[in-house]
Amino acid sequence: MPTSNPYAIVHFIEKLMEMKPQSILDVGPGFGKYGFLAREYLEVWFWRIKKSEWKIRIDCLEAYEPYISVVHKYIYDNIYIGDVREFPLHTLPNYDVIIFSDVIEHMEKDVGKKVLARLYGKANKAVLVSTPAEWYGAMKGCKPDDFESHVCYWAPEEILAIYKNTEIIYSGSEKGKKTYLAVIKKNS
């Protein structure tokens, strides 16, 4: 389904407001929640209400085109359709912040590491990764082509082992609601 655990939302917004990005790439936007919230708290919050007043470039990369709606078309400046595992990221500009929310658990570990490294290379300030903080076993998606199956668990320690300059923020306290946000910062 094109949604994710809601418990990390406030942490995403706090980090985005703290980093003040001028450009964002939302990889796997699903319903478009983070693009919408980024517009609200990085634009509307500062009285840039009309689209013509917006200053921040917010793009998305979605693998499953049927998820794209009128919301996406309004909120995002550019919508790219493609699987991040194969998408030619070199054709895109760099972004201050890349949002990679509830996507990495849908790919095998070695593939996830490669994708994360490619995204890190395209980020000027940080990559924000959220993923379940617990593993419940593999979960099958509704359709074989919808990119929804959970195939791999990422312990926070695994991300910390690769990217030393990472802040881990936990949210949700009940089983099935635990998630974490890894703020993988670029070295200054």
Side-chain angles (χ1 to χ4, degrees), residues 28-93:
F31 197 66
K33 161 179 49 222
Y34 289 114
F36 192 92
L37 291 169
R39 282 285 180 221
E40 180 174 358
Y41 291 103
L42 299 175
E43 302 275 21
V44 176
W45 191 259
F46 299 99
W47 294 100
R48 294 189 300 267
I49 297 169
K50 296 179 183 175
K51 191 169 187 167
S52 61
E53 300 169 326
W54 293 348
K55 296 180 178 181
I56 300 168
R57 185 180 78 243
I58 305 178
D59 298 342
C60 76
L61 171 58
E62 175 57 61
Y64 193 58
E65 190 169 10
Y67 286 164
I68 300 299
S69 72
V70 294
V71 171
H72 296 81
K73 292 172 184 173
Y74 183 72
I75 293 298
Y76 294 102
D77 293 301
N78 297 291
I79 298 171
Y80 303 102
I81 303 298
D83 184 340
V84 69
R85 294 172 288 193
E86 302 162 357
F87 192 85
L89 292 175
H90 67 275
T91 64
L92 301 180

Side-chain angles (χ1 to χ4, degrees), residues 136-177:
Y136 309 108
M139 295 169 35
K140 191 83 170 125
C142 299
K143 303 173 190 169
D145 62 347
D146 68 2
F147 304 96
E148 294 299 330
S149 296
H150 286 204
V151 297
C152 196
Y153 170 68
W154 284 77
E157 297 77 22
E158 292 176 277
I159 292 177
L160 286 166
I162 301 168
Y163 301 97
K164 304 296 184 210
N165 198 17
T166 298
E167 176 184 3
I168 302 290
I169 304 166
Y170 291 91
S171 55
S173 59
E174 299 174 32
K175 187 167 179 68
K177 296 181 180 179

